[in-house]
Amino acid sequence: MKLLQRLEAAHLNGLSVALGVAATHIVVGGLFGETAGLAAVGGAVCASLTDVPNPPQRVLPRVLPAAFAAAVVTALVGVTDGSLALTLAVVAVVSFLSLMTLAWGLRAGPLSFSPVLAMVFAMAWDRTTGATSPWAHALWVGLGGCVYAGWARAAAVVLRHRLRELALAAALRATAVRVRSRAQRIALAVGADEARIRASIADDVMLADALQAARDQVFAARRSPRSRKQTDLVLGLIELRDLLLASRLDTELLGQDFPARQWRAALADTLRHLADVLAALADAVAYGAPLPEVSAEAWRAQLAARLADICAPDGDSRTHLVSALASRLGHMLDDVGAMVARQALRDDIDSPWTPEKLAPFVSPEGWPLAALKPHLTLQSSVMRHALRSALALSLAYWLGAALPWAAHPFWLMLSVAVVLRGNLEQTIARRNNRIIGTVQGCLLVLLLAHVHWVPLLSLCFIAAVGVAHAYVNRRYRVAATAATLMALLQPLMLAPGSDPFIGERLADTVIGAGLAWLFSFVLPSWERAAVPRLATQLRGALARHAANMLRWMPSPEEQLAQRLSRQQAYTALAALAAAAQRTRVEPESVRLPDAQIEGALSHGYRLMALLGAVQHQVQRRNARLDAAKAETALPLARKACVDVLNGEPMTGTDPAEIPDGDAGAWPEHLGQQDLTPWLLRRLRLCRHEAREFVAALDRLPAPRPPSPR
């Protein structure tokens, strides 16, 4: 039981898939015979690709389309068997239509591969059992997919509580990692490469993914005392991320002299302690460990005492800046303390967060046909990838049929399918891991070739199914090793002691990986082409976020709009950051320049941090603000920021504040009751960063006309 408790969500999902495939084989084989059982296994494996950790209500809408597609493709392959021309046509059409499903986004990734895998299984059918008609074969495949769908739905119900706990724990650990990373940067304990904005953004993207996974699991849960606690914890982590982002502001103004290094060390050590508490809270959520002991007041006192012991020159104005930074850190300490206290409460607390309010923050679901329309053009990266894949897989099958070892041409096609991705970065990574994983899998098969006991080989096959599923998006090299076992164990299960075709498998993998890499340059979709679209989306998202955040005492409805626009802005920033990461392996002639892309990202994240800092000050420190001045300044700043982000002439700016010459100075903070000067400074900086951000986007290179080949 303790071993099961230590399994991560991906491991539990892989174990569930392996058991589901085995159960499908047992049920269908027991009712309709071994031939039907083997065919049903193919349908179950194809359907299982879309069975990822999800709330129960999301399982069937994802798994059943994959089962249906597998049955249809199986029938098409069966009726065209024996004709190379017709088979090539089926390969091209199925590949194209499968990859066009990526128009629905990342959630369609598993679905896009399911028909291709079904095509491979159907082509291999006559070489394994071959004792049924194409229509009967398709029927058994469809039945296997449906049986597996029922298993997947039942497993999701059984595992729902555990998956929510693991998603929460993963989000807590990702936040702890981000807090430690921020502490390292404050303490100047990172190298030059790690100090760059791109490395920091990579951490932010990992945290955003973990938070979204937690939202999808927790916000979709039925309302109960347990789910309300979990919802409060997720919402607390989201607020903590905003505070952490705001903690970037002004730290560079501390400098690097001796007092500055001592101040930095004190702030960084407090952040590390906070990260330790988050990690302990993750263990409490995931494994039932005791809750950590937390006292925000004690933390504050320790930090204040340490800062007071630092000797700074008389009249050093940085003491006011240090006081402001310590105050921001105090808000983070309060929030973490509140999270721990909320988990310790046994009484149920009414929450204003109804399922209707939480629904907009959950990842979109469904397959609306309207999503395909924008991609019915050669300018679309989805369309170009679908055409590229159709050409590559068709050529791979034809070449496989023409090679001297033409017994398994679909192996070459499968190698191309799993390696060729929508961008060059992922294709290169898949190419290398596919080759290494195949070699590792072949070595394992050499050992298993001496095993003649079919039940043991079957057990290894089922285990390989689960491992491949668990690691396909985490460590593809492990998944490729397991996939090789799956492919080469099938003939051994049918004929123990036979030739496992290891040499052919290795050759097909190397040739297929090379073909996939070469086809990355056919109808390429370089990141430069996506920049105008990403820039427009990002400017619009930040304009909406600025319009929502720069408000005095927002109502509950306005606070909900703030959270939603914040999520959209983070998503848009992450999309540009991902493009910046992918472009690094592209040919130099089309690569996005590092300096310009990092400049745009830096100003974008800084603007997000400032908007968050303004709203935190309005909501947490309103008693220390001059309401009349704040209510006058906020609409002016809001109008100015929205105008510049929308590409309009800046209006709404207080003439007395042009040209923001003092935007980099900081007001007094230590011992000051009125913090309005800090609010006004942040509003000036918001306008400044909005202008700089738009200018940085304008400096990005324009896309070149797409190459026709």
Side-chain angles (χ1 to χ4, degrees):
M1 191 64 184
K2 288 186 177 180
L3 178 61
L4 287 176
Q5 194 179 41
R6 290 289 171 179
L7 292 179
E8 298 179 16
H11 300 145
L12 281 176
N13 185 227
L15 179 60
S16 171
V17 165
L19 294 175
V21 171
T24 301
H25 183 206
I26 293 171
V27 170
V28 178
L31 292 175
F32 303 104
E34 184 62 17
T35 297
L38 288 174
V41 165
V45 171
C46 293
S48 73
L49 296 181
T50 57
D51 180 20
V52 295
N54 260 317
Q57 62 270 29
R58 289 192 167 204
V59 172
L60 292 182
R62 294 198 182 194
V63 178
L64 286 177
F68 175 76
V72 171
V73 169
T74 299
L76 288 174
V77 171
V79 298
T80 58
D81 187 33
S83 170
L84 180 60
L86 290 177
T87 300
L88 288 174
V90 168
V91 169
V93 171
V94 170
S95 303
F96 175 77
L97 294 178
S98 298
L99 272 299
M100 282 301 295
T101 61
L102 292 175
W104 285 299
L106 291 178
R107 69 182 183 277
L111 179 62
S112 70
F113 188 67
S114 184
V116 176
L117 186 61
M119 189 162 52
V120 171
F121 284 169
M123 290 173 177
W125 178 250
D126 286 341
R127 294 163 179 80
T128 55
T129 58
T132 186
S133 70
W135 303 109
H137 184 197
L139 176 64
W140 300 132
V141 168
L143 178 61
C146 291
V147 170
Y148 180 83
W151 169 277
R153 180 66 167 78
V157 172
V158 172
L159 295 174
R160 66 189 187 281
H161 295 305
R162 185 59 183 158
L163 290 177
R164 287 206 297 268
E165 292 170 350
L166 291 174
L168 267 176
L172 282 162
R173 293 192 182 100
T175 307
V177 169
R178 190 68 192 92
V179 171
R180 289 194 182 96
S181 172
R182 184 66 201 139
Q184 291 292 93
R185 286 174 169 79
I186 289 177
L188 303 177
V190 295
D193 288 340
E194 292 183 36
R196 298 173 67 184
I197 183 66
R198 182 171 291 174
S200 179
I201 289 171
D203 293 339
D204 286 328
V205 170
M206 290 178 61
L207 175 56
D209 290 343
L211 287 174
Q212 189 57 54
R215 285 192 197 99
D216 291 342
Q217 288 287 350
V218 174
F219 290 0
R222 185 178 301 171
R223 297 297 89 188
S224 67
R226 176 192 292 186
S227 69
R228 279 192 283 272
K229 268 189 181 183
Q230 293 171 336
T231 297
D232 290 344
L233 187 52
V234 174
L235 294 173
L237 287 175
I238 294 170
E239 290 300 318
L240 185 62
R241 177 180 64 173
D242 245 23
L243 287 170
L244 188 60
L245 182 63
S247 73
R248 298 177 178 182
L249 299 172
D250 304 323
T251 53
E252 72 281 359
L253 301 177
L254 286 173
Q256 299 186 28
D257 59 3
F258 183 70
R261 288 185 175 275
Q262 289 184 302
W263 285 324
R264 287 175 178 274
L267 296 170
D269 286 345
T270 304
L271 279 175
R272 293 188 186 103
H273 182 53
L274 189 148
D276 291 339
V277 172
L278 288 171
L281 183 55
D283 289 341
V285 170
Y287 311 129
L291 287 170
E293 295 184 5
V294 173
S295 172
E297 290 304 318
W299 282 348
R300 271 197 176 88
Q302 292 170 6
L303 177 60
R306 187 167 173 183
L307 292 174
D309 289 340
I310 296 173
C311 295
D314 292 338
D316 193 331
S317 62
R318 289 179 298 176
T319 56
H320 295 288
L321 180 60
V322 172
S323 175
L325 294 173
S327 177
R328 294 177 203 168
L329 189 51
H331 295 318
M332 298 173 66
L333 302 178
D334 289 337
D335 283 5
V336 172
M339 289 183 210
V340 176
R342 177 70 177 94
Q343 297 307 301
L345 282 179
R346 295 190 177 182
D347 296 333
D348 187 22
I349 298 177
D350 288 335
S351 173
W353 290 97
T354 62
E356 292 73 23
K357 288 183 178 180
L358 294 172
F361 300 96
V362 177
S363 298
E365 192 65 10
W367 315 107
L369 293 179
L372 293 171
K373 187 175 180 180
H375 299 283
L376 299 179
T377 169
L378 199 57
Q379 308 306 314
S380 164
S381 60
V382 173
M383 171 67 80
R384 294 169 77 85
H385 180 48
L387 289 171
R388 183 190 314 129
S389 298
L391 291 171
L393 268 65
S394 300
L395 176 61
Y397 187 86
W398 175 84
L399 183 60
L403 287 172
W405 56 85
H408 302 91
F410 45 84
W411 279 2
L412 183 58
M413 184 183 75
L414 179 61
S415 293
V416 173
V418 297
V419 172
L420 184 58
R421 302 288 92 189
N423 57 76
L424 184 59
E425 181 204 34
Q426 293 179 357
T427 297
I428 291 175
R430 278 288 182 99
R431 178 196 66 188
N432 299 340
N433 287 324
R434 178 71 178 180
I435 293 174
I436 295 172
T438 299
V439 172
Q440 293 175 167
C442 288
L443 292 175
L444 291 175
V445 171
L446 281 176
L447 297 176
L448 293 173
H450 299 287
V451 176
H452 300 287
W453 192 39
V454 174
L456 178 58
L457 294 175
S458 300
L459 183 61
C460 292
F461 177 84
I462 294 298
V465 170
V467 170
H469 189 88
Y471 285 95
V472 66
N473 292 320
R474 293 162 58 89
R475 295 176 61 189
Y476 184 71
R477 186 175 301 179
V478 176
T481 302
T484 301
L485 281 174
M486 290 167 58
L488 298 182
L489 281 178
Q490 291 183 59
L492 290 178
M493 291 162 58
L494 294 167
S498 61
D499 181 6
F501 304 106
I502 287 177
E504 179 184 342
R505 179 70 175 182
L506 286 171
D508 285 342
T509 296
V510 173
I511 295 172
L515 273 177
W517 175 73
L518 289 174
F519 266 89
S520 295
F521 299 91
V522 177
L523 292 172
S525 300
W526 305 126
E527 299 303 327
R528 179 191 294 257
V531 164
R533 174 179 57 83
L534 294 176
T536 300
Q537 290 176 350
L538 183 51
R539 287 175 64 161
L542 284 174
R544 290 189 296 272
H545 192 47
N548 288 327
M549 295 294 278
L550 299 178
R551 295 182 180 275
W552 175 253
M553 302 303 292
S555 66
E557 291 74 18
E558 289 172 335
Q559 291 181 30
L560 181 64
Q562 288 175 352
R563 288 177 176 272
L564 187 57
S565 65
R566 175 176 60 190
Q567 181 179 351
Q568 293 168 346
Y570 274 126
T571 300
L573 276 168
L576 184 61
Q581 177 66 28
R582 293 191 296 265
T583 194
R584 302 180 75 178
V585 301
E586 293 180 339
E588 191 171 351
S589 59
V590 297
R591 192 181 305 163
L592 289 171
D594 266 3
Q596 284 90 329
I597 195 73
E598 289 202 7
L601 289 169
S602 179
H603 289 298
Y605 270 95
R606 186 170 173 81
L607 178 57
M608 282 287 292
L610 284 164
L611 293 173
V614 166
Q615 194 51 226
H616 282 298
Q617 191 170 14
V618 167
Q619 293 192 27
R620 295 171 184 252
R621 295 298 190 93
N622 55 75
R624 297 176 63 180
L625 296 175
D626 186 319
K629 290 183 179 179
E631 289 187 76
T632 300
L634 281 165
L636 291 172
R638 180 172 67 245
K639 185 71 167 67
C641 289
V642 171
D643 285 346
V644 71
L645 289 169
N646 285 331
E648 301 171 3
M650 181 182 286
T651 59
T653 305
D654 187 346
E657 295 179 351
I658 297 175
D660 288 348
D662 61 341
W666 59 83
E668 293 185 357
H669 188 279
L670 195 62
Q672 297 297 312
Q673 176 63 27
D674 184 11
L675 298 181
T676 307
W678 279 90
L679 175 65
L680 298 179
R681 172 180 179 268
R682 284 172 178 161
L683 294 178
R684 290 195 299 271
L685 287 172
C686 282
R687 290 192 287 272
H688 173 74
E689 286 300 330
R691 288 195 298 268
E692 291 297 316
F693 170 69
V694 171
L697 286 182
D698 290 341
R699 286 193 292 270
L700 291 176
R704 299 175 182 176
S707 171
R709 59 182 179 85

